[in-house]
Amino acid sequence: MNSLDLKYYFSIFWRRMPWFLVVASIITGIGLAIAMLLPPTYRSQALILVESQQISDDLINATVDVNAIEVIQVIERRLTTRSNLLDIANRFEVFTGEDLSASQTVERMRAATEFTQISSGTERRPGANAFSISFTSGSPQLSADIANEFVTLILEENARLRTDRAGETAEFFRQQVRDLGQELTRLEGEILSIKNTTESAQPDSLEYRRNQLGLVQERLLGLEREETALREQITLLRTTLENPDLASLTSQTPATPLEREIAQLERALVQQSAVFSDSNPNIIALRARIDALRATLPSVAPGLPAADPDENPVVTQVRLQIDQAEGRLLSIEQQVAALEDEAANLTETIQATPANEMQLNVLDRNYSNLTQQYALARRKLSEANQGEQLELRGRGERFSIIEQASPPESPESPNRPIIAAGAAGVGMALGLGLIVLLEFLNPAVRRPVEITRKLNIPVFETIPLIRTTGERRKRAAVWAVLGMIVVLSMLGLIYAVHTYYLPLDLILQKILSVTGLSDVLGLIG
């Protein structure tokens, strides 16, 4: 603690005071001049609130599915395009008198424009969204005008963005409904055409046609059996015509009961002969019975004519049966031909049915899928139309102005007190640094303790410095020069403030108004 001689250090500071004052005054004056000469910049800000949809989502769903942050970012990108910024700068004459290129103008405009998001909620409980738009300029009115112009453009762009997206969504579903409707109409025509061209080979009548084919085949078998029986019958009838027993048959009506009985047995013989062979027991029995009865008949009287075989009714009947059988055979042949054609047609349609069924199933599946898509598109189109009306009437999510931009009363920058205080602090620090540097470079011995430390001998007494008259005058001259420098610096600072910042009378009025002295002076006056 003995080495810390505050009085010694204070004496050094006092002796180097002129240098400290010169450096501190120059740096402080420069800082004050900079603070006063820097042009003021004014920042005007407008606040926009993002309002949620006016109608409940349970009733109408909005088709513009974008959050407010994305909308703000999109609008910011669109508003800060080169062409838009140049248009605003030219209309409001933002940089009048400055020789700036188009690129420099755009960069200055982007630097002066700021979009800031404001959220009152948290991640778990989101609140209302808002954002601010601000513009910085050298004129308070100009900054407010441009900020309000940006607000107007934001509101218009938001409305246009949402209505365009809602309209594009509705138009997309309208086109989809039209395309699906046309495809459904085409499929319906194709299905109808296939059903018309393959009407007899449709899957729904397959079982009926199979049953019909079975019936036709059964009829064919029945006709074949009947044809076989008729052919056998014709053969037997023709054999019967060649039977000699028929020659004895007469066309005369039997007179006695015995003759009538014989005639009945002969007719039965003819009928049985058409069905059975000659070795059949019934035929043999009938012939034996006829022969026995004929043996009991009296002999034919002489001179009576013999019976004419051509006039025999049994022969006529046999020939009639042969004709009927042949006619039936002809009819059967025609029926068989018709049934075979029908069976061939049924077989062809039955064989073609699986291919037609497969083709119709594919078309039906496509038609069912398209029908579902068409119904879904119709429902989406209805929702899109409602969403479009919601946006056109301004009932969806929208931006509203909660604070219009107004001309600021005081500039945002530069902060003149901070600059002045910083300059004064830097000046004093540099002044102290200069004093330390000068003392560090001066090797002279100035304290008794330094003599003891360097020479290792004690010091008994010290003689103070006695300045001469010339030294005193020189010192006074230095202080006078320093005083003049300080005074001139202050005068220059006052002139700069009065010329480039604000007249002194207005500054005085503001000071009196802030401190309340203006009311006191008014009462005194």
Side-chain angles (χ1 to χ4, degrees):
M1 295 298 296
N2 293 332
S3 61
L4 185 61
D5 190 354
L6 295 179
K7 184 177 180 181
Y8 168 71
Y9 292 119
F10 182 74
S11 64
I12 292 176
F13 175 76
W14 184 255
R15 187 171 65 251
R16 302 291 186 179
M17 178 66 73
W19 295 105
F20 174 80
L21 292 178
V22 170
V23 174
S25 299
I26 292 174
I27 299 301
T28 303
I30 293 173
L32 291 175
I34 292 174
M36 293 298 105
L37 294 177
L38 284 175
T41 57
Y42 297 87
R43 183 174 179 268
S44 183
Q45 175 179 281
L47 295 179
I48 298 178
L49 177 67
V50 180
E51 295 183 344
S52 60
Q53 182 175 318
Q54 303 298 310
I55 301 177
S56 175
D57 293 337
D58 297 334
L59 300 176
I60 298 179
N61 292 324
T63 55
V64 183
D65 189 15
V66 289
N67 54 35
I69 298 176
E70 182 180 351
V71 172
I72 294 170
Q73 291 175 349
V74 171
I75 292 176
E76 180 181 359
R77 297 297 183 273
R78 291 186 178 182
L79 293 184
T80 54
T81 57
R82 180 185 180 89
S83 58
N84 189 62
L85 292 177
L86 288 176
D87 177 65
I88 294 176
N90 293 331
R91 283 193 290 113
F92 288 90
E93 299 180 352
V94 180
F95 304 110
T96 303
E98 300 184 38
D99 188 13
L100 299 177
S101 64
S103 299
Q104 291 174 337
T105 302
V106 171
E107 292 299 325
R108 292 273 297 274
M109 288 291 292
R110 285 176 179 168
T113 306
E114 182 180 2
F115 289 80
T116 305
Q117 181 188 355
I118 303 171
S119 179
S120 61
T122 61
E123 294 183 356
R124 294 185 177 181
R125 300 183 62 183
N129 287 321
F131 64 97
S132 64
I133 175 68
S134 61
F135 188 80
T136 304
S137 173
S139 170
Q141 186 62 45
L142 182 62
S143 62
D145 292 342
I146 295 181
N148 288 325
E149 177 67 16
F150 274 116
V151 168
T152 302
L153 294 176
I154 288 172
L155 297 180
E156 293 176 354
E157 188 67 24
N158 177 61
R160 181 167 57 252
L161 176 65
R162 297 189 67 86
T163 54
D164 288 348
R165 289 196 177 185
E168 290 173 359
T169 303
E171 181 59 29
F172 169 77
F173 284 111
R174 290 192 194 99
Q175 184 63 39
Q176 191 175 22
V177 167
R178 285 194 295 268
D179 294 341
L180 290 175
Q182 293 175 359
E183 185 65 18
L184 282 175
T185 303
R186 186 191 66 79
L187 276 179
E188 289 172 353
E190 189 173 349
I191 293 173
L192 182 60
S193 175
I194 292 176
K195 287 185 177 181
N196 289 335
T197 54
T198 60
E199 183 177 1
S200 59
Q202 293 300 312
D204 51 0
S205 63
L206 177 61
E207 189 64 26
Y208 170 77
R209 283 180 281 116
R210 285 176 176 172
N211 295 332
Q212 286 295 109
L213 180 60
L215 294 175
V216 168
Q217 290 174 348
E218 290 180 1
R219 291 183 62 188
L220 284 172
L221 291 175
L223 290 174
E224 288 177 359
R225 288 194 295 269
E226 185 179 357
E227 181 183 6
T228 302
L230 286 173
R231 293 186 183 279
E232 291 178 355
Q233 182 181 359
I234 291 172
T235 302
L236 291 175
L237 288 174
R238 288 177 177 173
T239 304
T240 302
L241 286 177
E242 298 174 356
N243 190 350
D245 294 334
L246 290 177
S248 61
L249 296 177
T250 176
S251 61
Q252 295 178 357
T253 304
T256 64
L258 184 59
E259 292 178 352
R260 286 196 295 272
E261 184 180 357
I262 293 173
Q264 290 177 357
L265 291 174
E266 288 177 349
R267 285 194 294 271
L269 177 62
V270 171
Q271 292 176 356
Q272 292 290 333
S273 298
V275 178
F276 303 106
S277 62
D278 294 338
S279 61
N280 189 277
N282 293 332
I283 299 296
I284 297 172
L286 285 174
R287 287 178 176 174
R289 178 64 177 166
I290 292 170
D291 291 339
L293 290 176
R294 282 180 176 176
T296 61
L297 286 175
S299 60
V300 180
L304 292 177
D308 189 0
D310 295 335
E311 296 179 358
N312 194 331
V314 176
V315 174
T316 303
Q317 185 178 5
V318 171
R319 288 177 178 175
L320 180 60
Q321 290 179 358
I322 292 174
D323 293 340
Q324 291 177 350
E326 289 178 349
R328 179 59 181 161
L329 279 177
L330 181 60
S331 175
I332 288 175
E333 291 177 356
Q334 295 175 353
Q335 292 181 21
V336 168
L339 290 174
E340 288 178 349
D341 292 341
E342 185 177 357
N345 291 332
L346 289 172
T347 304
E348 182 180 357
T349 59
I350 290 173
Q351 293 175 353
T353 298
N356 295 334
E357 183 178 10
M358 184 179 299
Q359 188 175 5
L360 287 174
N361 287 339
V362 172
L363 293 176
D364 287 339
R365 284 196 302 270
N366 293 339
Y367 185 81
S368 177
N369 293 334
L370 282 176
T371 302
Q372 295 177 1
Q373 295 178 15
Y374 182 77
L376 179 62
R378 293 282 300 179
R379 186 170 67 252
K380 293 294 184 181
L381 175 59
S382 177
E383 295 176 359
N385 288 332
Q386 292 178 356
E388 185 179 16
Q389 292 299 320
L390 189 71
E391 299 299 338
L392 291 175
R393 297 182 182 182
R395 299 297 182 181
E397 187 179 76
R398 61 180 181 178
F399 294 166
S400 61
I401 304 173
I402 58 176
E403 184 177 336
Q404 195 83 14
S406 58
E409 296 181 357
S410 59
E412 182 187 35
S413 65
N415 193 336
R416 303 182 195 279
I418 295 296
I419 295 176
V426 171
M428 289 186 291
L430 290 177
L432 289 175
L434 180 61
I435 292 175
V436 172
L437 179 62
L438 291 176
E439 289 299 318
F440 181 77
L441 295 177
N442 187 6
V445 176
R446 291 178 291 275
R447 291 185 299 172
V449 67
E450 294 179 1
I451 297 175
T452 303
R453 186 183 300 119
K454 291 183 177 182
L455 301 179
N456 198 19
I457 57 175
V459 177
F460 297 101
E461 190 63 43
T462 59
I463 300 173
L465 176 64
I466 301 174
R467 300 182 182 278
T468 62
T469 303
E471 289 177 344
R472 289 195 296 270
R473 289 177 180 176
K474 183 179 179 180
R475 185 178 180 85
V478 170
W479 280 102
V481 171
L482 291 176
M484 290 180 63
I485 291 174
V486 172
V487 170
L488 292 176
S489 299
M490 295 300 296
L491 291 176
L493 177 62
I494 292 171
Y495 176 77
V497 171
H498 179 77
T499 303
Y500 298 102
Y501 177 64
L502 196 66
L504 294 179
D505 55 347
L506 298 179
I507 294 177
L508 181 61
Q509 290 179 4
K510 284 189 175 183
I511 294 174
L512 294 177
S513 176
V514 171
T515 57
L517 296 177
S518 58
D519 298 334
V520 177
L521 293 177
L523 293 175
I524 295 175

